[in-house]
Structure formats: structure tokens, C-alpha cells
Amino acid sequence: MAHLATPPHRTGLLVFQPVKRKQCAECRGGPLAMLVLEDGAPRCLDCADLSHLVFLPRGDTALTRRSREESGLSAVVVRFNRRKGRYERQGVLVEEGALARAEARCLADAEARRRRRERDARRRAVEDVRFAEAFAAEIQRLFPGCPVDRARGIAAHASLRGSGRVGRSAAGRALSEGAVVSAVVASVRHLDTPYDQLLMSGVPRHEARRRIAVAVAGVLEGWR
């Protein structure tokens, strides 16, 4: 027999999806969608006493594992892959009741995972609000003249989760002075100077920053 891509469970039965048309050696029924080899001869699932089992295609590892756990009788279904020259798993045959119980267990787990995701999302939202507030407070400590709403806006922008901005860096999370100042400078650069217009007109970034450096410094000095 050709090598199995994934060997079947040692205590399980093996059922084949034939590549060629096959007939049952016992009842002569066919062509067979699935068969069992007994003494080298194909038997249909009826003759092999497996017709009461239902087919579960591969793909859901948890459902497959639990279906086999719940099923008193099960079989691994394989098909020969001519291109690769080996048998590959196509799914399993399990008792219908076992599949229903396994599906119920998986649904319960899915619901538990959904509730956990919701709890985690709420927790992260609270953490994000607290962090943004702390970031805004640090902005106002360093720049007392910065309007409160502006400080909050800078903090919210810089600390947005998943943004990759300075507030989410290690230095930003530690509220280091360099990270906080960088966030303020970036905001001033984009909102209080013609920096964006310079970029849109084709001015290189470093040259655009040089041109607006005095304006940025003036705003920062005023806020200090």
C-alpha cells in the first residue's frame, strides 16, 4: 500500500475513496463512493457494517477530534493522490449522534471564545482610555500652554492601538519625554504649518521639515 500522508489512528478502521470504478465483491453493488478492503477485496459500507456512519470531511480539527472521541465506532477515509503518489486523509466516518454531540461541544466553545473576546476587547478599551489620559496629562505637564482638547487629540492619535505610532512604542508606553515630545512635534508639523502642502507639491520630506522647523519651534515655545 502507498505511504499515507497522515497515518490513521492505530485502533481505527480505514475506508477508501476509490480513484477507479469499483464494485463490492460481496453484493456486487457499485460503483462505490467508499469501500473497505477485506482480504484484498473491496466491500461496500453496507456489507462492511459501516453504512450507519456519517462522513465528516477534513478541515475542522477540533470537530474531527471530538467526533471520534464521542463515537464508539469510527474510520479514517483516505484517497490516493496520483500526482503525489500517496494516500491522503479526506475525513472520517463517525456515528451520527457522536457528530451531533461534537458539534454541540464546539458551539459551546465558540460561544465561550466569543465572550472571552468581548471581555478582552472591553478590557483593552479601558486600558486604552487610561493610557491616552496619562499621555495627555504628560503632554500638558511638558507643554502647559497646549490647549486641553489639543493635548487629548494628540494623545488619542499617538496612542491608537495597532497604529504603530510613537505612543505605542516601548518609549511611548513608558511615557518617556522624548516620545511625548515627538508626538507633539508631529501634530504641530501637520496641523500648524504648511508641511503637508509642501509634501504634496513635491518638496522632499527632509527639505520640507527644514523649511517649517522655525514655525514648529515657535509653537512649542509658546506652549512651554
Side-chain angles (χ1 to χ4, degrees):
M1 182 178 293
H3 172 67
L4 284 174
T6 306
H9 195 277
R10 287 181 299 175
T11 60
L13 300 173
L14 195 61
V15 171
F16 297 88
Q17 289 181 344
V19 176
K20 297 180 179 180
R21 294 169 64 91
K22 296 287 185 178
Q23 286 185 319
C24 176
E26 187 169 332
C27 70
R28 309 309 299 173
L32 302 178
M34 296 185 191
L35 60 86
V36 176
L37 287 178
E38 292 182 350
D39 299 324
R43 296 288 192 280
C44 67
L45 297 188
D46 281 324
C47 293
D49 295 327
L50 298 178
S51 60
H52 64 293
L53 302 181
V54 294
F55 178 60
L56 174 61
R58 66 181 181 181
D60 190 325
T61 303
L63 182 59
T64 297
R65 173 174 53 81
R66 287 176 170 171
S67 294
R68 298 196 71 190
E69 290 172 353
E70 294 282 350
S71 189
L73 180 65
S74 66
V76 174
V77 179
V78 298
R79 183 179 178 86
F80 188 71
N81 186 319
R82 289 175 173 173
R83 182 173 60 84
K84 296 181 180 179
R86 66 186 185 187
Y87 283 94
E88 296 179 331
R89 284 176 181 257
Q90 302 302 307
V92 294
L93 291 173
V94 294
E95 296 166 345
E96 189 169 4
L99 178 56
R101 292 190 295 273
E103 288 173 336
R105 289 172 60 186
C106 288
L107 286 174
D109 280 357
E111 177 63 18
R113 288 193 297 270
R114 183 189 65 79
R115 291 196 299 268
R116 184 168 62 247
R117 286 195 299 269
E118 290 178 350
R119 289 196 301 271
D120 290 345
R122 289 194 294 269
R123 174 182 52 78
R124 288 192 297 268
V126 170
E127 291 174 351
D128 289 349
V129 168
R130 290 175 178 169
F131 178 63
E133 290 174 348
F135 204 97
E138 187 62 12
I139 290 174
Q140 293 214 282
R141 186 185 72 81
L142 295 173
F143 300 96
C146 178
V148 174
D149 288 345
R150 182 67 180 276
R152 290 174 177 168
I154 294 172
H157 179 80
S159 63
L160 182 65
R161 185 181 292 270
S163 65
R165 296 168 187 151
V166 66
R168 301 311 303 185
S169 65
R173 291 194 298 272
L175 297 178
S176 73
E177 182 172 333
V180 174
V181 170
S182 292
V184 174
V185 168
S187 176
V188 171
R189 185 184 295 136
H190 290 289
L191 300 181
D192 300 288
T193 76
Y195 179 68
D196 290 353
Q197 292 92 323
L198 291 173
L199 293 181
M200 289 297 292
S201 67
V203 177
R205 181 170 58 88
H206 293 296
E207 173 61 18
R209 289 193 175 191
R210 186 191 66 79
R211 294 186 190 182
I212 54 98
V214 173
V216 170
V219 173
L220 297 183
E221 186 60 30
W223 286 353
R224 284 194 178 96

